[in-house]
Amino acid sequence: MRILVTGGAGFIGRPTVARLMADGHDVAVVDLVRPDAPLSGAHLVVGDVRDEETLVPVITGADVVVHLAAKVGLGVDVDDIVDYVSSNDLGTATLLRAAHGAGVGRVVFASSMVVYGEGAYDCPDHGRVAPGPRRLSDLEAGVFDPRCPRCDAVLVPTVVTEDAPLDPRNVYAATKVHGEHLLRAWARETSGGAFALRFHNVYGPGMPRDTPYAGVASLFRSELAAGRAPRVFEDGAQRRDFVHVDDVARAVVAAATAEPGPGLVVPLNVGSGAVTTVGGLAQALADTLGGPAPVVTGEFRIGDVRHVTASSDRAAQVLGWTTQIGLRAGLRTC
């Protein structure tokens, strides 16, 4: 197949392109950045996905588009909002219009776990409930888990599935939700089909470092590389799902070669299926790198998500995909 990968020179893009090429596909890449090393023989176009003059020649003749290009991170303040919306929402809209014009009817979209906001929670008395915002008084008292909005009991976290309500908590998350909505509008109007892959905490070789937008694995890795102890906020018991970038690339390739069905957008969690605490990750990295033990600070940011971990059962059923790299083995590749 001929496959166009936007953002193919990035953290997730590079191993994805390498796998597609190894499987014998004809791969073109559009990326704003020219990589230092060649992309496994793929045809590279340096350009912006918001520019249809860049997109149209390279998308023509493609069978599938894998749309990984995006401005990532959370957004520091409201001044970031225009850049995020332009890069992500306008970029996705421009791509979908170009795909329609070129007769491309299949898209794989890089979504994110951040579309959920908080993860899933159960109340001992009321079952599955949506938590409200955490209270400042609770956080100051060291009660970090959210409470039931009906009875005020402390909630118990569980895994989130693709049918959970979407609750974006920052600008980046809002653009990913809107990207999924744009996909649905495109699919209905064109009878195209798409997978929206909701990546969880991706880590591995090439992950961005020393940036406020980086994931917690990257931040801890940078601290340890500098000989400093990782600083863990709250009590370190925040639950996350860390998935290796090579496993994520395998999921993208599986989606690119699968058929979502005409007019359908299929959301799929892409996570390891293993629950890891933030404190546990910091300790595992310190053990792997021989660095100082993490320090649990008790500090908090009132807007942070407490727990979000995934069930990736649907991806296993639909794509036949499961992870192959455990956390300890994966950390040794960073």
Side-chain angles (χ1 to χ4, degrees):
M1 290 194 303
R2 189 167 189 277
I3 301 174
L4 171 63
V5 182
T6 72
F11 172 42
I12 296 173
R14 289 190 67 93
T16 297
V17 169
R19 285 189 172 275
L20 288 169
M21 294 294 297
D23 289 347
H25 298 290
D26 178 13
V27 181
V29 170
V30 174
D31 202 295
L32 272 174
V33 178
R34 182 179 295 278
D36 296 331
L39 292 170
S40 307
H43 172 60
L44 172 65
V45 174
V46 178
D48 195 320
V49 295
R50 292 170 288 188
D51 179 10
E52 283 193 88
E53 290 186 3
T54 296
L55 278 178
V56 169
V58 73
I59 203 171
T60 301
D63 298 296
V64 183
V65 174
V66 174
H67 184 34
L68 304 177
K71 180 178 175 65
V72 299
L74 304 181
V76 174
D77 55 41
V78 74
D79 289 338
D80 290 335
I81 193 168
V82 173
D83 194 15
Y84 274 92
V85 170
S86 176
S87 298
N88 296 354
D89 294 339
L90 180 58
T92 298
T94 305
L95 178 80
L96 292 174
R97 183 164 72 175
H100 177 55
V104 179
R106 289 167 56 198
V107 174
V108 178
F109 175 67
S111 188
S112 171
M113 68 169 190
V114 297
V115 300
Y116 297 118
E118 283 283 356
Y121 292 86
D122 289 332
C123 171
D125 293 326
H126 298 106
R128 186 63 47 87
V129 296
R134 296 190 291 173
R135 301 170 186 165
L136 179 59
S137 59
D138 276 347
L139 296 173
E140 290 175 337
V143 179
F144 297 114
D145 289 322
R147 293 182 181 273
C148 176
R150 297 176 63 184
C151 70
D152 215 36
V154 173
L155 296 174
V156 178
T158 185
V159 293
V160 65
T161 57
E162 291 87 350
D163 56 356
L166 304 186
D167 182 21
R169 301 288 182 94
N170 54 62
V171 171
Y172 171 68
T175 66
K176 285 301 179 182
V177 171
H178 190 217
E180 291 195 22
H181 290 169
L182 291 172
L183 272 183
R184 289 188 172 88
W186 167 84
R188 283 193 298 268
E189 294 179 17
T190 68
S191 296
F195 290 104
L197 302 183
R198 294 172 179 170
F199 300 147
H200 282 249
N201 294 83
V202 186
Y203 73 98
M207 64 184 176
R209 295 175 182 168
D210 299 314
T211 162
Y213 303 119
V216 67
S218 176
L219 294 175
F220 290 163
R221 172 67 175 79
S222 296
E223 290 296 291
L224 287 161
R228 297 187 293 265
R231 292 176 60 81
V232 180
F233 278 20
E234 300 186 11
D235 57 359
Q238 307 95 305
R239 292 158 51 109
R240 297 291 187 270
D241 186 323
F242 297 95
V243 56
H244 195 274
V245 67
D246 287 348
D247 279 330
V248 171
R250 290 177 45 251
V252 176
V253 171
T257 53
E259 178 54 65
L264 296 178
V265 176
V266 181
L268 297 173
N269 286 330
V270 176
S272 69
V275 173
T276 303
T277 66
V278 171
L281 172 74
Q283 186 62 61
L285 271 168
D287 293 345
T288 300
L289 300 173
V295 176
V296 178
T297 69
E299 297 173 82
F300 59 85
R301 293 172 294 220
I302 195 165
D304 280 359
V305 170
R306 175 61 173 171
H307 303 296
V308 55
T309 56
S311 166
S312 296
D313 290 348
R314 185 181 292 178
Q317 295 164 2
V318 173
L319 301 179
W321 170 86
T322 56
T323 55
Q324 296 179 349
I325 302 172
L327 183 65
R328 292 274 176 169
L331 291 176
R332 290 194 289 270
T333 71
C334 295

